[in-house]
Amino acid sequence: MLDDLFALNQPVLGSIIRATAIFWAMFFIFRFALRRDPGSLSVTDILFVVIISEAIQNPMAGKAESLSDGLVLVGTLVFWNMATDAVAFYWPPSRRFLEAPARVLVRHGRINVRALRAEWLTRGELMAKLREQGVEHLEEVKLAMLEADGSVSVVRSE
C-alpha cells in the first residue's frame, strides 16, 4: 500500500512542465488582473481565485494519483514562486515585469482620477483606505500611493 502512495504514475519532467506552465499562466493573470492586498479582495476576486484553482486542477495534475506526483507539482510551484522573488531581489530591472509599479492616487490633496480608473478603484474605496490610515479629509494628504502589494501608503501634509 505504501508503494502505491509514493509511486510515480507519470513522468517527473511532464509534471514539472505542467506545473511551470500553470505557474506562469497564473502569474500573468494575477499580475495584471488582481492588484489588491489579500485583506481587500472583493467577493468577485475570491470567486475568481476559487474558480481558477478548480479549473487548473486537472490540467496541472494530469493523471497524478500518488503523493509523489503531487509533491513534484507542489515543489515545482514553490520553486517558481521562490525563483521569481529571488530574481526580483537580486536583479532590480526585473521588478518592472514581476511587480506592479507603485501608483500615485492622491498628490497634495487632489485625487489622480486617471490612476483610480486604471486600478478600477472608486472614490469611496480610496477614501476607505485613507480612513484606515487615519485621514479624514483629502487636504491632509501630501501623497497617497498604491503600492506593489496592493496596500495604500499615505504621507500626510505638514
Side-chain angles (χ1 to χ4, degrees):
M1 185 166 138
L2 285 178
D3 290 342
D4 291 338
L5 184 63
F6 289 101
L8 289 170
N9 297 324
Q10 56 188 7
V12 172
L13 183 60
S15 293
I16 290 171
I17 291 170
R18 265 194 303 284
T20 297
I22 293 297
F23 176 86
W24 285 106
M26 296 306 300
F27 173 83
F28 285 115
I29 290 169
F30 287 107
R31 164 65 173 83
F32 296 107
L34 299 176
R35 182 170 167 181
R36 301 175 185 217
D37 59 351
S40 69
L41 290 177
S42 69
V43 172
T44 56
D45 293 337
I46 294 168
L47 182 60
F48 177 76
V49 171
V50 169
I51 290 170
I52 287 292
S53 67
E54 182 65 27
I56 66 170
Q57 179 183 355
N58 290 334
M60 184 168 62
K63 296 180 182 178
E65 296 173 0
S66 73
L67 182 59
S68 296
D69 289 330
L71 291 175
V72 169
L73 292 169
V74 170
T76 303
L77 295 173
V78 169
F79 165 79
W80 281 115
N81 189 47
M82 293 176 69
T84 55
D85 288 346
V87 167
F89 181 78
Y90 289 110
W91 190 46
S94 70
R95 291 182 195 146
R96 289 187 61 197
F97 171 72
L98 295 174
E99 298 173 358
R103 194 177 288 243
V104 176
L105 300 177
V106 179
R107 185 184 309 271
H108 302 294
R110 297 186 60 139
I111 294 176
N112 180 348
V113 177
R114 205 176 258 171
L116 286 184
R117 197 174 301 130
E119 296 298 334
W120 294 56
L121 285 172
T122 66
R123 180 182 170 95
E125 290 171 326
L126 171 63
M127 294 307 296
K129 288 292 186 185
L130 294 177
R131 285 191 297 276
E132 287 175 4
Q133 301 287 330
V135 173
E136 292 182 42
H137 305 285
L138 280 174
E139 297 77 29
E140 300 174 44
V141 179
K142 181 177 182 180
L143 185 68
M145 301 283 295
L146 178 63
E147 301 297 345
D149 66 356
S151 64
V152 175
S153 60
V154 177
V155 176
R156 290 174 176 253
S157 300
E158 296 174 10

